[in-house]
Amino acid sequence: MGILSKIKKWLPKRKPPEYKNNIPKEKETIRKIFGIYCHSHHGTEGDKLCPKCNGLLATVFTKMNRCQYGITKPICERCEHPCFGETATKDFREIMSSSNRKMFLRHPIMTVRHKLASIGFDYMKMQQQKRADDKAKAKSKKAESKKKK
Ligand SMILES: [Zn+2]
């Protein structure tokens, strides 16, 4: 056995890139926000939600499991292709944004994490846009220099 292969054996193997599955956390956040909203708007208590909110939550969770983006999905309230259907999406976004303050008071860390996920998504979009712009610029530059020749 050569010395190189011996060294290689002792080196840690490179791990494949890991995608974090944030869906369970997002679900937990959504469930909490739904609870806060439903308790204060529909007079429910404890772990219970009214039938309407329960139905909406079930729809949201089912759709999340089937999300076309898989585990790399953006958080649902920022998604550009919401799959809940028009009415459900509107209701969902309303609930998610209406309980921001109360949610923060009760679950500050969770709220901040959720907010960061939202900001992260904006940042990713911005980077994507920038890359697309750069590409377009490079292309038009190339076309121009061709014309000059
Ligand atoms: Zn409700």
Side-chain angles (χ1 to χ4, degrees):
M1 216 195 310
I3 206 148
L4 248 166
S5 56
K6 254 188 197 165
I7 293 173
K8 257 186 198 162
K9 229 178 148 186
W10 289 102
L11 287 175
K13 272 184 195 142
R14 209 192 282 169
K15 278 188 198 159
E18 249 177 85
Y19 286 112
K20 249 177 141 182
N21 184 355
N22 290 315
I23 295 177
K25 260 199 194 120
E26 193 186 348
K27 277 186 180 168
E28 210 187 318
T29 309
I30 291 174
R31 189 192 288 281
K32 286 235 161 73
I33 295 178
F34 264 63
I36 291 173
Y37 178 87
C38 192
H39 293 349
S40 68
H41 285 77
H42 307 140
T44 48
E45 275 178 351
D47 289 336
K48 280 191 181 141
L49 297 178
C50 73
K52 201 187 155 208
C53 291
N54 227 342
L56 182 57
L57 191 67
T59 310
V60 168
F61 281 6
T62 314
K63 296 289 185 182
M64 274 173 98
N65 292 339
R66 296 181 196 153
C67 179
Q68 56 167 322
Y69 298 112
I71 63 167
T72 59
K73 69 183 268 310
I75 59 172
C76 290
E77 70 218 75
R78 303 300 312 270
C79 186
E80 284 174 351
H81 306 283
C83 51
F84 310 155
E86 211 173 294
T87 333
T89 303
K90 208 178 130 249
D91 290 347
F92 172 74
R93 292 203 165 142
E94 202 184 305
I95 292 176
M96 293 304 279
S97 61
S98 74
S99 307
N100 267 345
R101 230 179 71 86
K102 274 187 192 154
M103 181 68 187
F104 183 72
L105 292 176
R106 275 184 221 185
H107 309 284
I109 294 170
M110 193 183 241
T111 313
V112 168
R113 267 207 205 114
H114 198 68
K115 189 85 206 156
L116 283 178
S118 166
I119 292 170
F121 177 64
D122 282 343
Y123 183 74
M124 189 191 79
K125 279 251 87 97
M126 213 177 72
Q127 292 294 318
Q128 265 175 6
Q129 187 58 44
K130 207 179 148 237
R131 245 175 282 151
D133 285 351
D134 285 352
K135 239 185 198 172
K137 256 185 220 161
K139 226 180 193 179
S140 68
K141 240 186 200 170
K142 230 183 194 175
E144 250 173 54
S145 65
K146 253 185 195 168
K147 261 186 214 161
K148 273 177 196 162
K149 275 172 199 168

